[in-house]
């Protein structure tokens, strides 16, 4: 095994760059190095799974179009039938359950989706999507659909594999742990890379560990911004940090608003809520026409009233740029628009959250977005492999994976350590799967240091006697 010369390791503190104030980075660098090393070493398996499953998910968006082409596409006809006629055909073929939503054909060659809930054999968290030819009202088939993005079985399976490994809420801990630490590892690596002398960043002309380190640092620096973005957006809908972020946004008045469906009047005589029939009151055709008059272009989703006193809700569901997220509420008795919510009126953080999630899931910029995500996933896999390779090489043939020496905490002066620990504690409160493992690491490190110190004292005492 080829190893780098012992005088040229990344553990040796390098002179601080001229842009860093003297006396700040020098004591912090060993601490950042130790944290980067151990966090990368211990969290890397979770990151590797997240990267590989994320790569598959980014590709599943295009794969879905090929796998379910018969259900999703139709030959272009002359004139589309009224939406009520298409829904009637779907209900005739699939009379079970109730209609939870209708997605009219958004493009000339796309089918209409009639979403049914409460169908026997279908997961309650999902809907049965019935695909209808908008020109002939022919039912092209039915598939389970999940989420607001309209994921079909293939993408749903990969999505759940990426999110929780098909282990439910327990499995979600893995993805939240990965998202909680990815930005820490990425930013720590960037800080360490730019603190090194320029000559030590070279890849060309180097060999062994120096070459692996150079390649690891170069790839990491170029991909760091993407990693931080994926980490931040992933946390927005995670189990614990996501709940804290939602509470924080709500307290700041930045929660995602929704159109009010209340006040639709009592239309129990039309019986939609109980019977699961979406075409009651003025009917779907007039409801869709009223939404169009408010400027709601395709793609849209029509949600029937939840009860006799509620209104129809029609909302745009385009997640690609430019976003279309306007929504209206329509009285089922009169067909009048009673509430309008424009995406342009969303609070800034609500817009950023929407854009961030859609970029994270590969829908914001279409195929280009998906390619970027796949490249980021491959970059992360490469960095993990190179990181473990450096760990192996660091043993220099005498030990497998020699760890970074302890003592980094002792080198940080109190005026830096105290505010740093306070900031970490506050951050750990909002991101518990960052704070709890970090606290455990510090506690274990302190205990191991104390044990090692006692052993040294015993050894020195025995030698003295």
């Amino acid at each position: 095994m080829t190893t780098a010369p012992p005088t040229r390791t990344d553990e040796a503190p390098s002179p601080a760059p001229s842009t860093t104030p003297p006396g700040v980075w020098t004591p912090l660098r060993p601490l950042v190095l130790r944290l980067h090393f151990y966090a990368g070493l211990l969290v890397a398996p979770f990151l590797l799974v997240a990267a590989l499953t994320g790569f598959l998910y980014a590709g599943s968006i295009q794969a879905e179009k090929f796998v379910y082409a018969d259900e999703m596409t139709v030959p272009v006809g002359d004139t589309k039938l009224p939406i009520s006629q298409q829904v009637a055909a779907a209900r005739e073929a699939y009379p079970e359950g109730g209609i939870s939503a209708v997605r009219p054909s958004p493009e000339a060659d796309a089918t209409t989706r009639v979403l049914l809930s409460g169908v026997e054999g279908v997961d309650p968290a999902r809907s049965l999507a019935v695909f209808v030819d908008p020109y002939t009202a022919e039912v092209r088939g039915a598939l389970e659909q999940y989420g607001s993005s309209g994921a079909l079985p293939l993408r749903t399976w990969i999505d759940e594999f990426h999110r929780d490994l098909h282990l439910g809420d327990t499995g979600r801990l893995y993805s939240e742990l990965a998202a909680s630490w990815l930005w820490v590892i990425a930013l720590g690596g960037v800080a360490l890379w730019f603190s090194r002398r320029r000559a030590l960043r070279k890849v060309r002309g180097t060999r062994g560990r120096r070459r692996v380190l150079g390649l690891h640092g170069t790839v990491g620096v170029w991909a760091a911004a993407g990693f931080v973005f994926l980490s931040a957006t992933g946390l927005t809908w995670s189990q614990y940090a996501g709940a804290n972020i939602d509470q924080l946004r709500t307290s700041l008045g930045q929660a995602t608003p929704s159109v009010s469906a209340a006040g639709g009047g009592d239309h129990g005589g039309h019986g939609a809520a109980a019977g699961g029939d979406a075409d009651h009151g003025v009917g779907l055709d007039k409801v869709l026409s009223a939404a169009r008059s408010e400027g709601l272009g395709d793609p849209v989703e029509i949600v029937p009233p939840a009860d006799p006193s509620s209104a129809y809700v029609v909302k745009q569901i385009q997640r690609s740029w430019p976003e279309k997220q306007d929504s209206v509420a329509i009285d089922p008795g009169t067909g009048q628009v009673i509430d309008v919510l424009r995406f342009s009126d969303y609070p800034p953080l609500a817009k950023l959250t929407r854009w961030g999630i859609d970029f994270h899931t590969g829908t914001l910029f279409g195929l280009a977005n998906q390619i970027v995500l796949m490249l980021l996933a491959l970059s992360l896999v490469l960095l993990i492999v190179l990181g473990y390779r450096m760990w192996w090489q660091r043993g220099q043939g005498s030990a497998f994976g020699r760890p970074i020496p302890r003592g980094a905490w002792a080198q940080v002066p109190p005026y830096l350590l105290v505010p740093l620990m306070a900031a970490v504690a506050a951050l750990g409160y909002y991101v518990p799967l960052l704070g709890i493992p970090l606290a455990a690491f510090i506690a274990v490190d302190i205990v191991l240091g104390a044990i090692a110190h006692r052993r040294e004292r015993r050894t020195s005492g025995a030698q003295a006697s």
Side-chain angles (χ1 to χ4, degrees):
M1 182 188 305
T2 304
T3 57
T7 57
R8 293 289 191 183
T9 66
D10 64 319
E11 295 83 33
S14 302
S18 58
T19 57
T20 304
V24 175
W25 175 247
T26 300
L28 285 178
R29 187 180 188 279
L31 178 60
V32 174
L33 176 61
R34 185 163 168 79
L35 180 62
H36 182 75
F37 173 82
Y38 276 109
L41 186 67
L42 300 176
V43 181
F46 302 98
L47 290 173
L48 181 62
V49 174
L52 293 174
T53 56
F55 179 89
L56 292 176
Y57 181 80
S60 72
I61 299 174
Q62 296 299 322
E64 186 178 67
K65 298 177 182 179
F66 291 98
V67 174
Y68 304 116
D70 289 343
E71 289 85 1
M72 297 176 68
T73 59
V74 294
V76 178
D78 296 327
T79 305
K80 291 183 178 180
L81 298 172
I83 191 64
S84 58
Q85 189 172 337
Q86 299 177 50
V87 172
R91 292 301 281 158
E92 183 178 355
Y94 293 89
E96 292 185 71
I99 297 177
S100 58
V102 178
R103 295 187 173 188
S105 168
E107 298 170 349
D109 64 344
T111 52
T112 290
R113 297 192 191 188
V114 180
L115 306 182
L116 306 179
S117 61
V119 177
E120 185 178 356
V122 177
D123 189 323
R126 304 175 189 175
S127 302
L128 181 67
V130 182
F131 298 84
V132 182
D133 186 325
Y135 302 100
T136 65
E138 174 193 359
V139 175
R140 307 275 295 187
L143 297 166
E144 287 191 22
Q145 175 177 304
Y146 175 76
S148 59
S149 66
L152 298 178
L154 173 65
R155 183 152 59 104
T156 299
W157 192 93
I158 297 176
D159 178 24
E160 292 179 347
F161 188 35
H162 175 63
R163 185 174 66 248
D164 59 23
L165 303 178
H166 294 285
L167 297 175
D169 288 343
T170 301
R172 291 183 66 182
L173 297 177
Y174 113 84
S175 58
E176 184 167 353
L177 179 69
S180 299
W181 281 93
L182 178 57
W183 69 274
V184 176
I185 297 171
L187 293 182
V190 169
L192 291 169
W193 182 248
F194 283 106
S195 70
R196 293 172 60 83
R197 292 190 296 273
R198 183 177 296 274
L200 296 180
R201 303 182 203 157
K202 293 171 57 178
V203 177
R204 292 182 180 180
T206 58
R207 302 191 324 177
R209 190 170 185 278
R210 275 279 307 280
R211 182 173 180 81
V212 176
L213 175 61
L215 184 58
H216 179 88
T218 301
V219 174
V221 166
W222 279 102
F227 293 154
V228 172
F229 178 84
L230 290 177
S231 178
T233 52
L235 287 174
T236 57
W237 74 91
S238 61
Q239 190 169 6
Y240 297 107
N244 291 332
I245 292 172
D246 286 344
Q247 290 179 2
L248 180 61
R249 285 176 51 203
T250 301
S251 66
L252 296 175
Q254 297 291 308
T256 300
S258 60
V259 69
S260 175
D266 187 357
H267 303 281
H270 300 290
D277 178 11
D279 200 12
H280 73 293
V282 295
L284 287 172
D285 298 326
K286 290 187 178 181
V287 167
L288 183 58
S289 177
R292 300 295 193 206
S293 68
E294 287 292 334
L296 270 67
D298 287 322
V300 297
E301 178 178 88
I302 307 170
V303 180
D307 54 58
S309 62
S310 298
Y312 281 96
V313 172
V314 183
K315 51 188 177 182
Q316 292 179 306
I317 54 174
Q318 179 168 305
R319 298 293 176 80
S320 59
W321 189 267
E323 294 260 356
K324 293 182 179 180
Q325 298 291 321
D326 292 353
S327 56
V328 297
I330 299 171
D331 189 299
T334 64
Q336 298 297 312
V337 175
I338 58 176
D339 191 27
V340 179
L341 176 63
R342 304 292 182 185
F343 184 64
S344 58
D345 295 329
Y346 277 33
L349 288 183
K351 290 181 181 178
L352 290 174
T353 300
R354 180 72 272 154
W355 291 330
I357 291 175
D358 291 339
F359 189 94
H360 188 111
T361 55
T363 60
L364 189 59
F365 298 113
L367 181 59
N369 192 164
Q370 295 147 30
I371 291 174
V372 169
L373 292 176
M374 295 174 82
L375 289 175
L376 283 172
L378 292 177
S379 299
L380 185 54
V381 172
L382 176 61
L383 287 170
I384 291 170
V385 172
L386 293 175
Y388 277 115
R389 173 65 174 163
M390 285 190 297
W391 180 42
W392 177 287
Q393 290 176 319
R394 194 172 183 275
Q396 297 181 348
S398 61
F400 173 73
R402 184 163 55 88
I404 298 291
R406 284 189 297 270
W409 297 99
Q411 299 181 39
V412 182
Y415 73 88
L416 288 177
L417 186 59
V418 171
L420 178 63
M421 294 301 293
V424 169
L427 183 62
Y429 174 81
Y430 285 100
V431 188
L433 289 191
L434 170 66
I436 295 174
L438 181 58
F441 164 72
I442 294 173
V444 171
D445 197 48
I446 291 174
V447 170
L448 292 178
I451 293 174
H453 182 65
R454 285 186 179 182
R455 287 178 179 175
E456 290 176 1
R457 290 182 59 183
R458 289 176 182 176
T459 302
S460 61
Q463 291 175 351
S465 61

